[in-house]
């Protein structure tokens, strides 16, 4: 199975989400002129690829 | 703000009793991950109901993950989950409404999955009612929908007051936001967490300043240490539950006598060729990633998972690991007993597609010959 076709890398997503929502320097949280909506869908219970 | 459009917890609408315990563990694990990630609202999809409404509500309460749905209703027509939540972002109040489709097979599935405990009410009416309630309380309204992609237009067009529709349920994804009648946008992230969408509005410039990005979740994004540790802990817990005291680090399939050996009595050449294919080590790939007790993975890496005479979670029969003859050709019981033909003597690419789904192998049909040649054993 191609690595590029694997599904649900939630833990990778978490890193991205964390960087967006609570970035260490708080730049996004402090940017009161913008609303950022991060969205996902249809995860279907996967936490990481089977193999 | 972080949101999800639904179908988060289960892959199937029916959870066999034999895997219910592990399915519940996994659902709880997923919800705990969502809590740590900090989801502001999660819409309820039909598969999320597979472990029972009571259990789902209990899980939401325990993990404090805000599950919402305005039109999954009980016998009296009352919403079972909170219909919406309000969040404050950048000094603005944002209302988030949960919606599930009332067309296609979704309403019937909701009834079947919940044994009639829940049904789906009119999605436009539910959305309109929620928007009316939110008026005066919020600055913006987001609808999280779980339905066929084309139905998102109905919500965006017919329900005044919704600024953004975040859709899910199928594989459709939007590379750019779809503007609807100059009053709202539709976005979708596709399926199975392959992408995260980022939709940003500059409040100073209004809707004309929208930016959007669909981010592929590939190896270029580093693991989050806390989430990774949680997943490792979950894998260890599953191992303890099913390994029967087995030794960590030892593949239980390493010395297994496979069911295939019975086939090899007459089909020795086929068996020898099969042994050289990836199918013959399918279970090992799970073991290498500590996923060999995960029912979601075992379904495609063992023989006839949870079917009569097939691999099952309770007994963990190592004779039925990997993708063996019966995985593609069907139950060989009658063939072995009286030489009746196997159910599927010549499997087509459709059989492969049950596991090699479009998200895993997008070129399966186009490159069918290449795939078939890899497992050729005649």
């Amino acid at each position: 199975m191609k690595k590029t076709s694997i599904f649900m890398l939630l833990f990778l997503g978490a890193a991205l989400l964390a960087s967006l929502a609570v970035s260490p320097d708080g730049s996004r949280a402090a940017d009161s002129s913008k609303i950022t909506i991060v969205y996902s869908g249809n995860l279907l219970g996967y936490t990481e690829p089977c193999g | 703000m972080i949101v999800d459009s639904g179908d988060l917890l289960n892959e199937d609408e029916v959870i066999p009793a034999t895997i219910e315990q592990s399915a519940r563990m996994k659902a709880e694990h997923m919800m705990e991950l969502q809590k740590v990630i900090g989801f502001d609202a999660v819409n309820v999809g039909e598969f999320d109901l597979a472990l029972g409404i009571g259990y789902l509500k209990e899980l939401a309460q325990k993990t404090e993950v805000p599950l919402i749905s305005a039109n999954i209703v009980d016998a009296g027509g009352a919403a079972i989950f909170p219909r919406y939540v309000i969040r404050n972002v950048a000094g603005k109040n944002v209302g988030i409404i949960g919606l599930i489709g009332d067309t296609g097979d979704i309403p019937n599935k909701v009834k079947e999955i919940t044994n009639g405990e829940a049904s789906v009410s009119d999605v436009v009416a539910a959305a309109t009612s929620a928007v009316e309630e939110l008026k005066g309380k919020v600055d913006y309204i987001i609808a999280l929908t779980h339905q066929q992609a084309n139905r998102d237009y109905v919500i965006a067009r017919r329900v005044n007051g919704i600024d953004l529709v975040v859709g899910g349920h199928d594989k459709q994804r939007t590379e750019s936001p779809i503007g609807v009648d100059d009053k709202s946008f539709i976005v979708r992230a596709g399926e199975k967490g392959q992408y995260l969408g980022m939709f940003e509005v500059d409040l100073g410039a209004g809707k004309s300043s929208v930016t959007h990005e669909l981010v592929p979740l590939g190896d270029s994004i580093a693991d989050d240490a806390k989430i990774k540790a949680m997943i490792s802990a979950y894998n260890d817990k599953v191992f303890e539950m099913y390994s029967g005291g087995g030794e960590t680090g030892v593949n239980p399939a390493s010395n297994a006598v496979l069911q295939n050996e019975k086939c090899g009595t007459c089909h020795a050449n086929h068996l020898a060729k099969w042994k050289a294919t990836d199918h013959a080590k399918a279970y090992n790939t799970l073991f290498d990633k500590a996923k060999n007790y995960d029912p979601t993975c075992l379904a495609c890496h063992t023989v006839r998972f949870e079917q009569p005479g097939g691999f099952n979670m309770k007994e963990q029969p190592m004779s039925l690991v990997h993708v063996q003859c019966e995985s593609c050709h069907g139950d060989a019981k009658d063939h072995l007993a009286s030489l009746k033909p196997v159910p599927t003597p010549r499997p087509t690419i459709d059989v492969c597609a049950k596991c090699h789904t479009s998200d895993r192998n997008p070129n399966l049909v186009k490159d069918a010959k290449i795939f078939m040649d890899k497992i050729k054993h005649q």
Side-chain angles (χ1 to χ4, degrees), chain B residues 310-338:
Chain B
F311 186 93
N312 61 84
M313 289 301 290
K314 191 178 174 187
E315 295 166 334
Q316 301 276 324
M318 288 300 117
S319 59
L320 295 169
V321 296
H322 308 311
V323 180
Q324 300 188 36
C325 306
E326 289 183 291
S327 300
C328 306
H329 295 287
D331 187 352
K333 178 169 52 77
D334 293 339
H335 181 67
L336 288 166
S338 58

Side-chain angles (χ1 to χ4, degrees), chain A residues 1-18 20-21 28-29 31-51, chain B residues 1-8 11 26 30 37 47 90 169 187 189-193 197-203 212 217-219 221-223 227 231 235 286 296-297 359-360:
Chain A
M1 190 182 299
K2 280 185 181 178
K3 204 171 184 182
T4 52
S5 69
I6 58 179
F7 45 89
M8 191 43 215
L9 300 170
L10 185 58
F11 57 100
L12 296 179
L16 176 66
L17 290 168
L20 291 168
R28 280 184 183 271
D31 188 351
S32 61
S33 67
K34 288 181 179 176
I35 295 179
T36 303
I37 297 135
V38 178
Y39 62 95
S40 59
N42 208 22
L43 302 182
L44 290 172
Y46 290 111
T47 50
E48 57 182 333
C50 291
Chain B
M1 176 181 296
I2 307 171
V3 296
D4 186 272
S5 57
D7 270 359
L8 179 71
E11 190 182 14
K26 190 165 190 174
M30 291 293 288
I37 291 170
F47 285 1
H169 176 59
V187 291
E191 63 174 352
K192 296 185 178 176
M198 289 169 53
F199 181 95
E200 193 166 73
V201 184
D202 186 333
L203 297 175
H212 179 262
L217 297 181
D219 291 345
I221 300 169
D223 294 352
I227 296 290
I231 291 174
N235 285 340
L286 298 189
T296 310
C297 297
D359 56 299
R360 298 168 191 166

Side-chain angles (χ1 to χ4, degrees), chain B residues 67-110:
Chain B
L67 296 180
I68 56 170
S69 180
N71 67 325
I72 294 179
V73 298
D74 63 18
I80 291 172
F81 300 92
R83 292 152 62 218
Y84 55 78
V85 291
I86 299 174
R87 296 286 180 259
N88 188 279
V89 185
K92 300 287 183 187
N93 284 331
V94 180
I96 311 170
I97 305 168
L99 299 168
I100 191 166
D102 60 359
T103 58
D105 59 356
I106 292 177
N108 283 339
K109 277 194 187 294
V110 167

Side-chain angles (χ1 to χ4, degrees), chain A residues 7-15 43 45-50, chain B residues 25-26 28-34 36-37 217 222-240 289-292 294 297:
Chain A
F7 45 89
M8 191 43 215
L9 300 170
L10 185 58
F11 57 100
L12 296 179
L43 302 182
Y46 290 111
T47 50
E48 57 182 333
C50 291
Chain B
M25 263 177 65
K26 190 165 190 174
E28 189 170 339
H29 170 61
M30 291 293 288
M31 289 285 272
E32 284 167 352
L33 292 173
Q34 304 307 310
V36 171
I37 291 170
L217 297 181
D223 294 352
D224 178 85
K226 187 171 183 182
I227 296 290
K228 194 174 181 183
M230 286 175 73
I231 291 174
S232 295
Y234 163 76
N235 285 340
D236 291 346
K237 206 168 152 187
V238 174
F239 176 82
E240 281 170 25
K289 295 203 74 171
K291 302 296 286 182
N292 55 314
D294 186 332
C297 297

